[in-house]
Amino acid sequence: MTDSNIYSTNVLVVDDEPEMRSFIADYLRDIKGYTVFESPGGSHALEHVLPKEKIDIILSDINMPGMKGFELLKAVREKYPDIKRVLITAYNVEDYLELAMKYDIGNIFIKTIPFNFEELVVLIESLINNTVFGVDKYFDCNAERHTFIIKRGDTLEDNARTIVNCLPEPEKFKKLELVLFEILTNAVFYGIRNESPESKEDWDFDFELSEDDAITASVIYDDTKHGISILDNGGRLKKNNVLYWLHRQITSGEEGIPIGLYDSHGRGLFIARKYIDRVIVNIEKDKQTEIILINYNAKKFSGYKPLYINEL
């Protein structure tokens, strides 16, 4: 876990609850050394803070009287496109996926109990410095790490099992094998080979990728959590597509069945969000896509799961 201080970073915290606003602002100001501005609402931020101060990143609550967080961040994107934007809520992210698509929001941080300040700081620094790629930043310097290069299309199940077996007590993570197989399949067949999901039954698994196209899988763990990164060099994934697929999985159609239940595309990410504590999607268009999975060893942080989708 990074512990570097960034004294030149200006953060704006917007929340109508003064106790929560000060709670976040005081930590970022006193512990991390950021310059932090506070605002009780969207209109106040737009009229009294943003025109006067150079803000690097804005952290806004979603549900506020008057202007909501989504509306505020839309206005910020239009008037101050260089400012990074993060929504914060204590509620279920799945309830906001349609609004996230509408307002082009990729990062929704969750107010857990206890509050996960370490994760918030990693998010802030990653966005500010455009260093969203890489799983190492979420772990301490003594974390154990393993790296695998994956080329074969017919060994993905074995690859998923090998990755899981690197973890301490791998027998606890059998569901993770299914998640990894889905994500590896997406990385190889969609990210690199650009196969059509509609012709999945005709896919040829008997191939070997070149060195440039090979998938990189990283496994890392410390005393509190473990993480896995799956990186492809295709960069074909899109933020709005991820939000769309996730939304289909929780939107009921006839007889209460999710309309995306039988989707062949995007299922891996939904399964990942179901079983994994943190799913982070990083996209650099036409260059690389990374899926990061993080699980805490103990259920330290109670609350809903955040949404992290970064598109450079």
Side-chain angles (χ1 to χ4, degrees), residues 221-241:
Y221 55 88
D222 57 25
D223 292 337
T224 62
K225 57 190 175 299
H226 61 265
I228 296 171
S229 164
I230 305 298
L231 179 72
D232 72 60
N233 294 317
R236 292 192 171 95
L237 202 58
K238 296 179 181 179
K239 177 171 63 178
N240 273 350
N241 286 348

Side-chain angles (χ1 to χ4, degrees), residues 167-225:
L167 299 172
E169 301 182 275
E171 64 278 2
K172 294 183 178 180
F173 305 110
K174 289 303 178 181
K175 289 181 179 178
L176 185 54
E177 289 185 23
L178 171 62
V179 172
L180 283 174
F181 174 69
E182 291 286 344
I183 291 176
L184 287 171
T185 299
N186 289 345
V188 171
F189 286 91
Y190 301 141
I192 298 301
R193 291 172 64 87
N194 200 23
E195 299 277 6
S196 169
E198 283 73 28
S199 60
K200 198 169 185 176
E201 65 278 1
D202 298 324
W203 287 358
D204 178 14
F205 285 76
D206 186 15
F207 62 85
E208 183 168 317
L209 299 174
S210 68
E211 291 287 341
D212 289 340
D213 287 339
I215 306 300
T216 301
S218 300
V219 182
I220 187 169
Y221 55 88
D222 57 25
D223 292 337
T224 62
K225 57 190 175 299

Side-chain angles (χ1 to χ4, degrees), residues 274-286:
K274 182 176 178 65
Y275 292 117
I276 306 300
D277 293 333
R278 301 292 183 267
V279 178
I280 303 160
V281 181
N282 297 320
I283 306 162
E284 187 174 10
K285 184 180 178 182
D286 298 329

Side-chain angles (χ1 to χ4, degrees), residues 93-94 106-108 119 123 138 176 179 183 226 228 237 242 246 266-282 290-296 305-310:
V93 164
E94 270 67 20
N107 285 293
I108 303 180
E119 190 168 288
L123 177 61
Y138 297 92
L176 185 54
V179 172
I183 291 176
H226 61 265
I228 296 171
L237 202 58
V242 176
L246 292 177
R267 184 179 64 171
L269 290 173
F270 174 74
I271 294 174
R273 274 191 62 83
K274 182 176 178 65
Y275 292 117
I276 306 300
D277 293 333
R278 301 292 183 267
V279 178
I280 303 160
V281 181
N282 297 320
E290 179 183 41
I291 309 297
I292 295 176
L293 312 175
I294 296 176
N295 263 333
Y296 290 93
K305 297 178 182 180
L307 178 74
Y308 300 137
I309 309 173
N310 301 295

Side-chain angles (χ1 to χ4, degrees), residues 245 248-251 256-264 267 270:
W245 294 327
R248 282 178 60 81
Q249 296 292 338
I250 57 138
T251 303
I257 298 174
I259 60 177
L261 180 64
Y262 300 108
D263 285 359
S264 57
R267 184 179 64 171
F270 174 74

Side-chain angles (χ1 to χ4, degrees), residues 75-87:
V76 170
R77 183 186 62 192
E78 293 171 349
K79 295 183 178 180
Y80 309 96
D82 293 333
I83 295 179
K84 307 297 183 180
R85 301 167 295 140
V86 176
L87 285 173

